[in-house]
Amino acid sequence: VTTSSPRSSPRDAGASTFRIRPARRGDAEALATLLKELGYPNAADNQTVNWVVSHPEIEVIVAADGADRPVGMLSFSHRPQLRMKGRIGTIDELVVTQAWRGKGVGKALLQKVVERARTLTVKRLELTVHVELGPPPAPFLEKCGFASAGGTVFRYPGFDFMRAPSS
Ligand SMILES: CC(C)(COP(=O)(O)OP(=O)(O)OC[C@H]1O[C@@H](n2cnc3c(N)ncnc32)[C@H](O)[C@@H]1OP(=O)(O)O)[C@@H](O)C(=O)NCCC(=O)NCCS
């Protein structure tokens, strides 16, 4: 199962046309390139892409250009929470390649996820901004309807993939 989102939705952003579609196994290289741009070199090898796109609680969507090459990607996960008596949805990764920024791609990816979250009747939809990647794109997120929820993330360094393992 990749995702039950609609198969595609063409968008015309001026001269640049793109469509949103579910990611598939063949997108592994493009996803790795996009995640590298986000600040994660060595991300998304074939094995991990296969794992993620067949996971029942994760959906990865891409914005594909006229040649069907991903120019933006978003991963979304959802799972039930006791206190919510329902699902929480989280946007885990979102990036648009530099040349395609400012053309509505990021907004279209988020809009697709909001639609999907509505279908899943999630009780909360969140996006975590990782401080190591630089300042959050607050104006973009606000234009897309998100509001800051504050909060602080505590991490256990022994399990942090960004740090060398401690003994
Ligand atoms: C943030 C990011 C995903 C935005 O994607 P994008 O495709 O360039 O954004 P869009 O073109 O869809 O912009 C949507 C709206 O936000 C505005 N916007 C986008 N980036 C903005 C910025 N840096 N400052 C102010 N407004 C911005 C656009 O002007 C547009 O406004 P409009 O709806 O009034 O026309 C993209 O810049 C990116 O990948 N950045 C690097 C990685 C990153 O920050 N990821 C997000 C982690 S939360």
Side-chain angles (χ1 to χ4, degrees):
V1 179
T2 48
T3 167
S4 53
S5 303
R7 297 299 305 162
S8 68
S9 44
R11 282 282 293 260
D12 189 345
S16 311
T17 303
F18 62 90
R19 71 179 180 120
I20 308 293
R21 62 162 173 81
R24 42 184 185 247
R25 287 157 200 256
D27 293 325
E29 207 178 313
L31 292 174
T33 303
L34 286 165
L35 287 164
K36 190 172 178 181
E37 248 185 272
L38 186 57
Y40 301 104
N42 310 315
D45 56 6
N46 283 318
Q47 193 184 1
T48 311
V49 171
N50 291 347
W51 183 16
V52 166
V53 300
S54 59
H55 194 291
E57 292 177 333
I58 307 179
E59 300 180 8
V60 183
I61 55 173
V62 298
D65 68 10
D68 204 32
R69 283 182 301 247
V71 296
M73 64 83 64
L74 180 155
S75 57
F76 168 62
S77 58
H78 48 86
R79 61 233 171 255
Q81 302 275 288
L82 289 171
R83 70 192 184 289
M84 294 181 191
K85 296 186 284 182
R87 286 192 184 94
I88 186 169
T90 54
I91 294 154
D92 302 315
E93 289 143 349
L94 168 62
V95 61
V96 174
T97 194
Q98 188 81 49
W100 278 77
R101 290 183 193 166
K103 297 175 191 292
V105 174
K107 192 173 192 176
L109 287 165
L110 282 178
Q111 278 171 345
K112 181 61 76 179
V113 158
V114 169
E115 276 171 34
R116 185 67 187 128
R118 197 168 285 127
T119 303
L120 289 165
T121 63
V122 305
K123 304 288 184 183
R124 182 172 277 177
L125 177 62
E126 286 184 345
L127 180 153
T128 303
V129 175
H130 299 283
V131 287
E132 67 263 22
L133 301 179
F140 161 74
L141 292 170
E142 283 158 12
K143 286 220 160 155
C144 294
F146 286 73
S148 173
T152 305
V153 177
F154 284 69
R155 289 183 184 146
Y156 188 80
F159 296 127
D160 192 338
F161 78 106
M162 296 287 280
R163 294 170 64 121
S166 56
S167 51

